[in-house]
């Protein structure tokens, strides 16, 4: 079952919106054929079958052309290819020619008066929707429907049909074109906004990583810059003293050795501070990140005791990795993070989210293995897996005896 639904669940939110929008426009082709292409056949008499079949084939070709233009336009909307200008021009020309053909048949009396209005309205409305997808601004979109309506009305008058009938054609085309213009224009705007949001989230994540790297590099530079400069100066001084046979060279090298060891200790402190995760900061950060991603995140923090730094660091990494997995996998809408630290007993951290696939897709990653190694350092355990009803639960436990030992050492 997971293989059958994986093509949908494994897509990002933007990919799901695009797939839904794309297939909606493909369905428009069937709507045009079923709603308007079969009308000439239904109204045709037995002696005249060639003309209704030709009109039905004309509507089918037009529907396929509009579907292809919609597909190419959606590729342009999401930035995968250039705007299909030539195909849009071809669609507009074919639509105008088909409409004139239907109106000419109506003017000569060869077409049923009850069929011509539906054919003209269907051809222009669906073509208008496809052409709107090629436009970016609302100012450009709002002129398409009135232009189609005015052109249709003028064509009816030019073929010698009554003014009242021309007004009816113009009003019908205007209403249908406005409906399709609004629908297609909003769909393109929504798809563009979803992809912009997706790209913004990716850019925000990259900026966060770059900022953290800059912070680490700045701290490392502040620690090592001065010490390395002193080491270089004292080493040079020791070389000069050694060349002159002065015994002070040994003292200078001893000082270089002391500064080097001090630098090594300071680097370890910087790296340790970078690797350690503050639990309170990670919980608040997880809440902010998941809420910003459109999820309803609830954080429950019940701590009746102060946790040692080692336990806070290990559980902070669990929160960080769980948050990353929720954003990267599945399609979660709700998330619960509960930390329980009673006065006596084990410390329990539970991270639960919905939208998880029934079975994991792909090979297991190294993130959970790394968390188990970090928890093993504090005698902790980690359990992760589906919890039923589309839920995924990650549970980390640190036994109370380990906490008591660390508190006794403190």
């Amino acid at each position: 079952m997971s293989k059958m639904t994986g093509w949908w669940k494994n897509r990002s939110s933007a990919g799901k919106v695009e797939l839904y929008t794309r297939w909606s426009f493909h369905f428009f082709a069937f709507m045009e054929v079923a709603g308007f292409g079969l009308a000439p056949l239904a109204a045709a008499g037995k002696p005249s079958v060639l003309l209704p079949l030709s009109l039905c084939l004309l509507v089918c070709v037009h529907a396929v052309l509009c579907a292809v233009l919609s597909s190419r336009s959606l590729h342009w909307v999401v930035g995968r290819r250039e705007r299909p200008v030539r195909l849009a021009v071809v669609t507009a020309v074919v639509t105008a020619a088909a409409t004139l053909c239907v109106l000419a048949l109506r003017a000569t009396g060869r077409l049923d008066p009850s069929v011509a209005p539906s054919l003209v309205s269907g051809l222009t409305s669906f073509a208008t929707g496809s052409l709107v997808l090629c436009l970016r601004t609302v100012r450009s979109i709002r002129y398409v429907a009135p232009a189609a309506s005015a052109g249709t009305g003028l064509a009816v008058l030019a073929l010698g049909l009554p003014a009242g009938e021309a007004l009816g054609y113009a009003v019908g085309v205007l209403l249908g074109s406005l409906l399709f213009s609004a629908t297609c224009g909003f769909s393109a705007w929504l798809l563009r906004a979803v992809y912009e949001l997706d790209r913004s989230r990716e850019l925000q994540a990259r900026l966060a990583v770059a900022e953290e790297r800059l912070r680490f590099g700045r701290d490392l530079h502040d620690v090592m810059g001065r010490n390395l400069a002193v080491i270089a100066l004292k080493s040079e001084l020791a070389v000069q003293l050694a060349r002159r046979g002065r015994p002070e060279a040994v003292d200078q090298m001893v000082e270089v050795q002391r500064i080097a060891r001090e630098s090594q200790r300071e680097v370890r402190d910087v790296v340790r501070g970078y690797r350690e995760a503050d639990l309170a900061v990670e919980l608040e950060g997880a809440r902010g990140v998941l809420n910003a991603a459109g999820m309803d995140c609830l954080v429950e923090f019940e701590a009746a005791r102060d946790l040692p730094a080692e336990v806070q660091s290990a559980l902070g990494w669990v929160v960080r990795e769980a948050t990353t997995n929720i954003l990267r996998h599945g399609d979660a809408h709700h998330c619960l993070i509960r930390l329980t630290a009673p006065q006596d007993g084990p410390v329990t951290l539970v991270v639960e989210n919905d939208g998880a696939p029934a079975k994991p897709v792909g090979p297991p990653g190294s993130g959970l293995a790394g968390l188990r190694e970090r928890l093993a350092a504090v005698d902790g355990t980690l359990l992760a897996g589906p919890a039923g009803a589309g839920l995924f639960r990650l549970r980390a436990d640190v036994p109370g005896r380990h906490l008591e030992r660390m508190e006794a050492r403190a």
Side-chain angles (χ1 to χ4, degrees):
M1 188 66 181
S2 61
K3 293 182 179 180
M4 297 177 60
T5 59
W7 62 274
W8 173 261
K9 290 185 177 180
N10 294 337
R11 292 178 178 269
S12 63
S13 298
K16 292 178 181 178
V17 174
E18 180 187 356
L19 184 63
Y20 173 78
T21 305
R22 191 175 295 278
W23 279 103
S24 297
F25 284 112
H26 290 335
F27 183 69
F28 280 179
F30 295 98
M31 289 178 56
E32 183 177 358
V33 173
F36 303 99
L38 300 181
L41 296 178
K46 291 184 179 180
S48 58
V49 181
L50 181 60
L51 179 60
L53 286 176
S54 301
L55 291 176
C56 181
L57 180 61
L58 176 64
V59 174
C60 292
V61 172
H62 184 266
V64 173
L65 184 61
C66 290
V68 174
L69 176 60
S70 300
S71 180
R72 298 283 181 87
S73 300
L74 290 178
H75 281 298
W76 169 70
V77 167
V78 298
R80 296 199 187 102
R81 62 187 307 165
E82 296 181 354
R83 186 188 313 199
V85 178
R86 294 182 180 178
L87 185 58
V89 173
V90 171
T91 303
V93 171
V94 171
T95 302
T99 303
L100 288 175
C101 178
V102 172
L103 292 176
L105 292 174
R106 166 68 186 92
T108 57
R110 300 180 59 187
L111 187 62
D112 193 336
S114 63
V115 176
S118 63
L119 284 177
V120 171
S121 178
L123 290 170
T124 54
S125 298
F126 282 97
T128 299
S130 299
L131 292 173
V132 161
L133 292 175
C134 299
L135 303 176
R136 184 180 295 274
T137 62
V138 179
R139 179 176 298 180
S140 302
I141 293 175
R142 66 184 182 182
Y143 293 126
V144 176
S149 175
T152 303
L154 292 176
V156 174
L157 290 176
L159 291 173
L161 294 174
E165 188 172 351
L167 180 61
Y169 275 103
V171 172
V173 170
L174 179 62
L175 294 178
S177 299
L178 284 176
L179 175 62
F180 277 85
S181 296
T183 302
C184 298
F186 176 76
S187 299
W189 172 84
L190 179 62
L191 185 60
R192 190 179 291 113
V194 169
Y195 267 96
E196 287 293 336
L197 179 61
D198 190 61
R199 284 190 285 267
S200 298
R201 289 177 180 172
E202 182 180 358
L203 181 59
Q204 185 177 8
R206 291 181 179 178
L207 288 176
V209 173
E211 184 179 356
E212 183 64 18
R213 288 176 177 174
L214 288 174
R215 185 195 68 81
F216 181 73
R218 183 175 61 251
D219 293 345
L220 192 61
H221 176 269
D222 293 341
V223 169
M224 295 297 297
R226 180 184 60 85
N227 290 349
L228 289 176
V230 174
I231 289 175
L233 290 174
K234 287 188 173 293
S235 299
E236 184 179 357
L237 178 58
V239 170
Q240 297 296 331
L241 292 174
R243 288 176 178 174
R244 298 175 185 177
R246 301 284 296 275
E248 291 87 350
V250 177
D251 297 333
Q252 294 297 327
M253 291 308 298
V254 170
E255 184 66 14
V256 168
Q257 187 179 25
R258 184 192 65 79
I259 296 174
R261 289 177 178 174
E262 183 180 352
S263 300
Q264 189 177 20
R265 178 184 58 80
E266 291 178 350
V267 169
R268 288 198 190 101
D269 292 339
V270 171
V271 175
R272 186 181 301 110
Y274 179 73
R275 289 181 177 176
E276 288 181 353
D278 184 82
L279 184 55
V281 174
E282 292 299 331
L283 288 173
E284 190 61 32
R287 188 212 308 267
V289 169
L290 295 178
N291 286 337
M295 304 177 197
D296 183 13
C297 180
L298 176 62
V299 176
E300 298 179 357
F301 192 5
E302 302 175 2
R305 66 197 299 181
D306 294 332
L307 300 179
E310 296 89 341
V311 177
Q312 286 201 40
S313 178
L315 295 180
W317 275 100
V318 173
V319 174
R320 184 182 298 180
E321 181 67 22
T323 304
T324 303
N325 290 338
I326 292 173
L327 293 173
R328 187 177 299 171
H329 308 295
D331 187 17
H333 298 283
H334 302 280
C335 177
L336 171 65
I337 304 176
R338 181 188 295 117
L339 176 66
T340 305
Q343 187 64 38
D344 297 322
V347 176
T348 303
L349 174 65
V350 176
V351 181
E352 187 175 277
N353 64 276
D354 62 353
K359 294 182 180 179
V361 181
S366 59
L368 295 180
L371 293 182
R372 289 189 174 93
E373 293 177 359
R374 292 180 181 275
L375 288 171
V378 293
D379 293 341
T381 57
L382 180 71
L383 297 176
L391 296 178
F392 187 87
R393 182 179 298 135
L394 186 146
R395 179 188 176 107
D397 294 290
V398 179
R401 61 180 183 274
H402 185 82
L403 296 173
E404 293 172 358
R405 287 200 301 266
M406 287 189 291
E407 291 172 353
R409 289 199 305 266

